[in-house]
Amino acid sequence: TALRWAFSQLGVGGTELEAVNEKEGIYSNVVALISLITFSSVVSSMTSLVSTLQGQGREETQQFSLLRRFLRVNHIPENLSHRITRFLHYTYHERTANVDDPQILMFLSKSLHAELQLERHREHIDKIQFLHTLLHNPSISFQEGQVMQTLAQRALSSHDLGEDDVVFCHGNPATSAYLLLHGSMTYRQVDMNVQPTGDYWICEMCLWTHWSHFGDLHCQSFSHICALHVQEFCEVICSSPTVQVQAHNYAKDYINCMHAENACSDLG
């Protein structure tokens, strides 16, 4: 009976129970007021949420309507139009739900942002032996720590790729090393056809010597990769004489190992 009376204060059903004295009347009015405020808040929140979702839906519909018109006016072939639309659908929803780069991070100081980027990419950087050694050095100097933070901030970037996108082609100079974060890719060479995994960096050797690709790398599905850019990598490493010497010695050992293994693949 008490539960039924409580629900009736929210407007759900009715009850014949009524206050019979002043205290019960005051209690009933207070409960009714709280119920009214609670119910109004719930309805207001739901209305706001629905309005936000409808607004996002209208924006998406408008953007893709403009895209279809653009493709039609410019006489883009149907196959390419389909690939572009599918990729933009994928990236649009990924960015809508994106938590990787909240806008509030732009207010961070440069130093804090560098620290954040290092921790964010630590797992990826750790898969390169030279950087792994620096990261796990118990006596790492302040300067070496700064180099690692700057490296994560300046030399690393992440990219979304669509189906059949080409990452690099045979014979082109290598400008970046790549790590597959999710998705699927295929590496093709004359005598091999391999699907790389996220356990190692593709074309890491371009960080240590001039390199031209021996094969082709392209995506089989929507993929997300991390790229370590050679030019920025070298600039950051050379900013510290101590780290530069360590990198020089590591590069010589790395190249000697490549010669010993007669390595002729971008996969190492």
Side-chain angles (χ1 to χ4, degrees), residues 8-252:
S8 71
Q9 305 308 305
L10 293 172
V12 181
T15 178
E16 296 179 356
L17 297 176
E18 298 290 344
V20 296
N21 56 49
E22 184 178 357
K23 290 183 178 180
E24 290 182 357
I26 293 173
Y27 180 76
S28 297
N29 289 332
V30 170
V31 171
L33 179 61
I34 294 174
S35 300
L36 177 62
I37 294 172
T38 304
F39 185 73
S40 300
S41 299
V42 171
V43 172
S44 176
S45 298
M46 292 179 63
T47 303
S48 177
L49 177 61
V50 170
S51 298
T52 301
L53 292 175
Q54 287 178 340
Q56 291 177 350
R58 282 195 298 269
E59 181 184 359
E60 179 181 355
T61 301
Q62 181 182 15
Q63 290 296 326
F64 281 98
S65 176
L66 291 172
L67 171 65
R68 286 189 293 271
R69 181 181 177 186
F70 170 83
L71 296 172
R72 185 174 61 254
V73 168
N74 288 276
H75 307 292
I76 306 300
E78 183 178 353
N79 182 48
L80 179 57
S81 298
H82 180 66
R83 287 175 54 202
I84 290 172
T85 304
R86 277 174 53 81
F87 178 73
L88 289 177
H89 268 294
Y90 168 76
T91 54
Y92 184 89
H93 290 289
E94 284 288 310
R95 298 292 168 83
T96 301
N98 184 33
V99 295
D100 288 342
D101 295 299
Q103 291 185 356
I104 196 171
L105 292 181
M106 65 184 294
F107 299 110
L108 278 178
S109 67
K110 186 177 180 180
S111 177
L112 271 177
H113 192 265
E115 286 188 56
L116 173 64
Q117 289 300 98
L118 177 59
E119 292 305 317
R120 176 182 173 186
H121 295 292
R122 179 179 289 271
E123 181 183 356
H124 309 148
I125 294 174
D126 208 38
K127 294 177 181 178
I128 296 176
Q129 184 58 45
F130 172 72
L131 301 180
H132 171 85
T133 303
L134 278 180
L135 280 173
H136 295 275
N137 181 6
S139 57
I140 185 172
S141 68
F142 177 77
Q143 187 180 48
E144 291 171 340
Q146 287 294 105
V147 167
M148 295 302 298
Q149 292 178 14
T150 307
L151 188 70
Q153 188 175 32
R154 285 186 52 196
L156 284 171
S157 63
S158 57
H159 306 274
D160 291 312
L161 300 174
E163 296 171 315
D164 298 324
D165 276 4
V166 176
V167 181
F168 59 72
C169 296
H170 167 73
N172 289 346
T175 58
S176 302
Y178 304 97
L179 180 68
L180 178 64
L181 301 182
H182 67 75
S184 60
M185 309 176 82
T186 298
Y187 175 78
R188 288 196 176 97
Q189 206 172 315
V190 176
D191 55 348
M192 70 169 64
N193 193 336
V194 180
Q195 288 190 333
T197 67
D199 297 329
Y200 54 88
W201 284 81
I202 303 167
C203 200
E204 180 190 341
M205 56 284 299
C206 71
L207 302 175
W208 312 113
T209 184
H210 293 293
W211 187 262
S212 293
H213 295 296
F214 276 81
D216 305 322
L217 182 67
H218 69 91
C219 299
Q220 288 186 313
S221 64
F222 295 122
S223 302
H224 189 62
I225 64 171
C226 183
L228 180 54
H229 306 292
V230 174
Q231 182 175 348
E232 289 79 3
F233 175 82
C234 293
E235 289 174 355
V236 173
I237 292 297
C238 292
S239 66
S240 167
T242 305
V243 178
Q244 184 179 9
V245 170
Q246 295 178 55
H248 177 73
N249 294 331
Y250 179 85
K252 289 195 297 185

